[in-house]
Amino acid sequence: MTQVEELASFVARASYDGLSSVARQELKHRVLDALACALGALDAEPIRLIRAQVADFGGAPRCTLFGGGRTAPDRAAFYNGALVRYLDFNDSYPTKGETCHPSDNVGAVLAAAEYAGGTGRDFLAALAVAYQVQCRLSDVAPVRSKGFDHTTQGAYAVAAGVCRALGLPQLPPRTRSPLPERRSNALRVTRTGKLSHWKGLAYPAAAFGCTHAAFLAMRGVTGPLEVFEGNKGFMETIAGPFEIDG
C-alpha cells in the first residue's frame, strides 16, 4: 500500500469510541476556543469582504455560517475557517522546524459533518483525524526551512478530516484516490515582511480547495495514490523522506 492508502485506512478506522477521555475533553475545549475566536472576528474587515463575496456568489444552503446564514460546504469551510483563524488567537502546535494551528480545520470539518448529517461524535472523530494528520506531518515533514507554509501539510489534514466526516469508504473504487491531493504548495512569504490579510486567510483558502476536492473524490474524481512517495511527489520535491506512523 502507498502511504496515502495507509493514511486513508487510518482515517476510515477512526471513531469517537477510539478516543481517550482526555482527547475527547481537549477536543471540546479546542472547539469552544475556536468558536470564541470566530465570534471575536465577525466584524473584521476581510471577514466582511468574504461575507460579501459569499452573498454575491450564492451557493446551495447546505451548511451554517457562523453569525447566521447558510451556503455551500466549501464556502462555509472558507468563511468559518477565516473567522476562526483571522485574529491569530487560536491554538498552536509547535514542533521542531514547524508550527501549525490545528483548529484551522474546524470550519471545514464542521461543514462536512453538517452536510453528511453527522452527530457531534462524528464531528469530533473527524476533527481528531485532522488534528492527528496535521500534527504528525508537522513532526516528520517540516517544510518551513524550504520556504513553504504550514498550510502545505495542513491541506492533507483538511482532506483527511473532511473525508472522515463524509464517511468515505476505506477501500474506494480503483479509479478514485481515497484522499485528494493539494492543488498547490503555499509559500511562507505569506507570513514574512509586510503582512497582508492573506496571513489569516491562507489556511481557510486551503480548506476551501481541499473541501471542494474531497467532495469531488466522494463523487469519483481521481487523484494520485503516490502523492507522498511517488515520482515528483511531496517527498522528492519538498519534504524529503518520512513515514507517518500514527
Side-chain angles (χ1 to χ4, degrees):
M1 291 188 3
T2 66
Q3 288 210 40
V4 78
E5 288 174 305
E6 292 178 359
L7 179 55
S9 178
F10 161 74
V11 171
R13 293 194 312 270
S15 69
Y16 184 82
D17 290 339
L19 298 174
S20 69
S21 60
V22 173
R24 295 174 186 177
Q25 190 68 20
E26 290 302 319
L27 278 169
K28 294 173 185 177
H29 288 165
R30 300 305 188 276
V31 171
L32 289 173
D33 178 75
L35 290 174
C37 291
L39 291 175
L42 280 170
D43 292 327
E45 180 185 16
I47 302 302
R48 295 197 304 270
L49 300 177
I50 296 168
R51 185 65 183 242
Q53 180 153 309
V54 170
D56 182 27
F57 289 178
R62 304 295 298 271
C63 298
T64 304
L65 296 172
F66 296 156
R70 299 177 68 81
T71 189
D74 50 3
R75 293 174 185 178
F78 181 43
Y79 179 75
N80 290 342
L83 280 167
V84 171
R85 183 71 181 90
Y86 193 71
L87 293 180
D88 207 9
F89 291 151
N90 61 323
D91 60 7
S92 295
Y93 178 75
T95 187
K96 185 177 181 180
E98 201 68 80
T99 299
C100 65
H101 306 271
S103 61
D104 283 343
N105 297 291
V106 167
V109 174
L110 184 61
E114 184 176 8
Y115 175 93
T119 65
R121 291 186 172 203
D122 294 329
F123 164 63
L124 289 175
L127 186 61
V129 164
Y131 265 70
Q132 181 71 2
V133 172
Q134 185 164 15
C135 293
R136 284 302 294 142
L137 280 176
S138 296
D139 286 338
V140 302
V143 298
R144 179 187 293 187
S145 65
K146 297 178 175 67
F148 291 96
D149 195 41
H150 66 266
T151 56
T152 301
Q153 303 107 322
Y156 299 99
V158 172
V162 169
C163 286
R164 178 64 188 83
L166 293 175
L168 296 194
Q170 178 176 346
L171 298 175
R174 181 172 54 87
T175 57
R176 187 172 75 216
S177 173
L179 290 175
E181 65 151 333
R182 178 73 187 277
R183 297 171 300 168
S184 62
N185 296 295
L187 297 177
R188 187 73 184 174
V189 68
T190 299
R191 304 175 202 286
T192 65
K194 185 177 181 180
L195 298 178
S196 67
H197 288 157
W198 204 251
K199 179 179 183 292
L201 301 181
Y203 202 104
F208 171 87
C210 291
T211 300
H212 187 77
F215 275 90
L216 290 175
M218 180 184 75
R219 301 179 196 281
V221 174
T222 64
L225 291 176
E226 296 182 342
V227 63
F228 287 129
E229 67 270 43
N231 181 29
K232 303 300 185 292
F234 184 68
M235 292 183 187
E236 182 179 326
T237 59
I238 299 177
F242 63 86
E243 291 185 6
I244 306 174
D245 57 6

